[in-house]
């Protein structure tokens, strides 16, 4: 009798496990997960940010199995292949999105100063904080604050190789430059005080190359307007997806990951 009961329980367990793995609601994974708010928040946590390199397959599995939030996960979980095998197309799509974000990253955008008297920049996770200029909206980026020094003091370098896709004045972004990485990520650097040179669309950019200097330009239709907010660099990360030409993802944990790869300049 006990053997029969154990067999029944084993069959039940296999059936339930199979149902959970194949049920889209269990893993919260479908063809458009990479356009969802939970994916865009990119809640990677210190467990990923502290790693020397990003294992894209591991991150994909961890995010799926932890409801796309690793901020409270302290140790790396085992990497299961179940979801990849049960839903390969959806898995590959999500994995490729994480790879697009991380593959070409090399440097933190503001070098550290070798001068002990230079205050360091600061930043917080301000993803989707309220903004009101031009209408109510969520903040689609991360602000690296340099307000302890005057505009034009802190250098801004490219976090990756790429090609200049957009450059010049924007009402909300001030003097900005947008770089498309080889993998397709669009990196947006806004509120610059000045450029390092006369950048043109189509110009190649090397990782670590000086793009310009941190400022406080923008929030005006008049080119060159300054002073409407504190000196800072706004970093935005954007993906091309099935339904969006530019879909923002949260740069905060990406920046935390890049801190270990920070250049050092004397300034």
């Amino acid at each position: 009798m006990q053997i029969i009961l154990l067999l029944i329980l084993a069959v039940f367990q296999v059936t339930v496990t199979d149902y959970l793995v194949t049920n889209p609601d269990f893993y919260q994974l479908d063809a458009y997960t990479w356009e969802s708010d939970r994916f865009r928040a990119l809640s990677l946590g210190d467990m990923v940010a502290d790693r020397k390199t990003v294992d894209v397959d591991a991150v994909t599995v961890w995010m799926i199995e932890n409801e796309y939030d690793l901020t409270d996960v302290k140790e790396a979980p085992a990497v299961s292949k179940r979801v990849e095998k049960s839903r390969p197309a959806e898995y590959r799509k999500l994995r490729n999105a994480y790879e697009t974000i991380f593959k070409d990253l090399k440097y933190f955008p503001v070098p550290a100063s070798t001068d002990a008297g230079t205050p360091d920049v600061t930043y917080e996770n301000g993803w989707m904080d309220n903004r009101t200029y031009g209408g109510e909206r969520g903040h689609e980026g991360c602000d690296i604050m340099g307000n302890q020094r005057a505009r034009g003091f802190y250098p801004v370098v490219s976090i990756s190789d790429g090609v200049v896709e957009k450059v010049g004045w924007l009402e909300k972004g001030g003097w900005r430059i947008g770089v498309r990485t080889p993998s397709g990520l669009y990196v947006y650097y806004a509120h610059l005080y000045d450029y390092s040179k006369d950048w043109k669309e189509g110009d190649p950019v090397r990782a670590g190359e000086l793009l310009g200097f941190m400022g406080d330009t923008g929030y005006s239709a008049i080119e060159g307007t300054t002073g409407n907010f504190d000196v800072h660099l706004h970093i935005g990360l954007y993906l091309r997806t099935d339904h969006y030409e530019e879909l923002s993802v949260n740069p905060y944990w990406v920046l935390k990951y890049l801190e270990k790869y920070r250049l050092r300049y004397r300034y």
Side-chain angles (χ1 to χ4, degrees), residues 61-78:
V61 171
W62 294 337
M63 290 294 268
I64 293 170
E65 295 190 343
N66 289 274
E67 299 182 354
Y68 302 91
D69 188 349
L70 299 176
T71 52
D72 292 328
V73 178
K74 304 304 179 185
E75 296 183 4

Side-chain angles (χ1 to χ4, degrees), residues 14 21 23 25 55 78 103 125 127 150 171 243:
V14 170
V21 170
N23 181 357
D25 292 334
D55 182 331
K103 185 175 182 180
N125 191 353
W127 177 248
E171 182 174 347
H243 299 103

Side-chain angles (χ1 to χ4, degrees), residues 40 45 49 53 61 71 95 101 113 120 124 151 154 157 189 191 235 245 247:
R40 294 174 61 206
T53 58
V61 171
T71 52
R95 179 203 180 280
I101 294 168
S113 175
D120 202 1
E124 297 178 352
R151 62 180 72 100
Y154 290 97
V157 301
Y189 307 81
H191 309 309
I235 287 282
E245 180 65 21
L247 185 69

Side-chain angles (χ1 to χ4, degrees), residues 24-243:
D25 292 334
F26 178 69
Y27 278 131
Q28 302 182 70
L29 175 64
D30 60 34
Y32 304 112
T33 296
W34 69 321
E35 295 179 346
S36 67
D37 289 344
R38 59 181 181 270
F39 165 77
R40 294 174 61 206
L42 214 62
S43 302
L44 298 167
D46 291 323
M47 194 266 291
V48 173
D50 290 345
R51 303 174 85 82
K52 290 185 177 180
T53 58
V54 173
D55 182 331
V56 175
D57 283 296
V59 167
T60 305
V61 171
W62 294 337
M63 290 294 268
I64 293 170
E65 295 190 343
N66 289 274
E67 299 182 354
Y68 302 91
D69 188 349
L70 299 176
T71 52
D72 292 328
V73 178
K74 304 304 179 185
E75 296 183 4
V79 179
S80 167
K81 293 286 186 178
R82 288 184 305 172
V83 65
E84 181 181 0
K85 290 178 179 178
S86 66
R87 259 168 276 161
E90 294 88 346
Y91 175 87
R92 283 196 300 271
K93 205 167 193 178
L94 183 62
R95 179 203 180 280
N96 290 343
Y98 288 120
E99 184 174 47
T100 297
I101 294 168
F102 280 100
K103 185 175 182 180
D104 302 309
L105 300 181
K106 293 186 179 179
Y107 300 115
F108 190 81
V110 181
S113 175
T114 58
D115 186 341
T118 298
D120 202 1
V121 296
T122 60
Y123 63 100
E124 297 178 352
N125 191 353
W127 177 248
M128 287 299 156
D129 282 354
N130 188 53
R131 294 291 186 270
T132 57
Y133 182 85
E136 296 280 342
R137 67 187 191 284
H139 185 229
E140 295 185 342
C142 187
D143 291 338
I144 301 176
M145 306 303 297
N147 52 346
Q148 295 190 62
R149 287 291 184 266
R151 62 180 72 100
F153 179 80
Y154 290 97
V156 175
V157 301
S158 181
I159 67 175
S160 67
D161 294 335
V163 175
V164 175
E165 192 164 293
K166 296 177 183 178
V167 66
W169 183 263
L170 278 181
E171 182 174 347
K172 292 178 182 176
W175 296 119
R176 61 68 159 101
I177 186 168
V179 176
R180 183 75 62 179
T181 73
S183 296
L185 181 70
Y186 181 74
V187 187
Y188 170 68
Y189 307 81
H191 309 309
L192 299 177
Y193 172 67
D194 197 7
Y195 298 108
S196 61
K197 66 179 186 180
D198 185 18
W199 292 103
K200 304 293 186 185
E201 293 179 7
D203 283 348
V205 179
R206 299 185 310 276
E209 186 169 1
L210 183 65
L211 298 175
F213 299 89
M214 192 184 296
D216 56 349
T217 59
Y219 278 27
S220 173
I222 301 172
E223 289 191 5
T225 298
T226 60
N228 285 331
F229 39 74
D230 287 344
V231 172
H232 71 279
L233 172 68
H234 171 99
I235 287 282
L237 302 179
Y238 295 85
L239 294 170
R240 285 191 182 121
T241 71
D242 296 306
H243 299 103

